[in-house]
Amino acid sequence: MPRFSPVPVFDIGQVLLRWEPKTALQQHFADAAALEAFMAEVGFMDWHARQDAGRPVAEAVADHAARFPGHAPVFAAFYDDWLKAVPGEVPGTRAIFEGLAAGGPVYGISNFSRELFDRTLPAHPFLAGFSGLVLSADVGINKPDPRIYAILCERYALAPGDCIFIDDAPRNVEAARAFGMDALLFTDALSLSGALRARGLAW
């Protein structure tokens, strides 16, 4: 009998694309310490996560500018300079993604604002290669909420046990496993390639 090959499900940030918000922010601060202090003061990552869950960028900027008026220009500039926060591909994973996509379906689950994904896609058109993609903003749910994994499976008629999920965040990997998927914690393309081939995937 042929060996079972699981269906790959990719995260995007820090798996396919680099996610480096400090690169888009650093121009506004004198040094790294000032940047870190800003991010802590305004709860930057939690603030951005609400955009991933579907809050409009303009609303988010206006809200935080009102709360932290001394930093108001920074919030708008961050999204104006969005592509600096996703400055390129994670080395090696695009080749894996495209090779797998050439041979069968490849799906995605990503915590990503729809507005920002639509800005990102023209700069990284290989992301159009997903057979199906669930963006957190489109469903109002961020990983690691188990409902986002269920939405992928229901939408594309996938059984959790037939999927292998790839993500750089341990809590997202753990949630996928709890949902019934096989899951890999991404560290680098070489390790990912070996783990996928060990599970019967080839490209």
Side-chain angles (χ1 to χ4, degrees), residues 49-110:
R50 290 191 61 193
Q51 285 69 274
D52 285 344
R55 182 167 62 165
V57 165
E59 178 184 315
V61 168
D63 176 71
H64 245 43
R67 292 182 60 195
F68 303 97
H71 296 302
V74 179
F75 303 123
F78 175 71
Y79 290 119
D80 289 343
D81 295 333
W82 169 250
L83 290 179
K84 292 181 180 178
V86 282
E89 299 171 13
V90 173
T93 52
R94 176 180 175 178
I96 296 172
F97 172 82
E98 290 184 329
L100 291 170
V106 176
Y107 296 94
I109 302 175
S110 183

Side-chain angles (χ1 to χ4, degrees), residues 94-188:
R94 176 180 175 178
I96 296 172
F97 172 82
E98 290 184 329
L100 291 170
V106 176
Y107 296 94
I109 302 175
S110 183
N111 287 354
F112 218 131
S113 157
R114 166 56 66 178
E115 292 176 77
L116 299 176
F117 181 80
D118 288 346
R119 293 189 208 172
T120 304
L121 186 58
H124 302 284
F126 79 94
L127 295 175
F130 284 104
S131 304
L133 174 62
V134 175
L135 295 183
S136 57
D138 290 343
V139 296
I141 300 167
N142 284 352
K143 294 174 296 180
D145 190 313
R147 291 176 295 169
I148 200 166
Y149 306 96
I151 287 168
L152 177 88
C153 290
E154 291 164 5
R155 182 177 294 176
Y156 301 109
L158 300 171
D162 291 344
C163 298
I164 180 163
F165 178 64
I166 303 143
D167 198 292
D168 67 298
R171 65 178 188 166
N172 297 340
V173 169
E174 291 162 7
R177 288 174 179 159
F179 180 69
M181 293 178 171
D182 188 7
L184 295 172
L185 180 64
F186 178 80
T187 55
D188 59 78

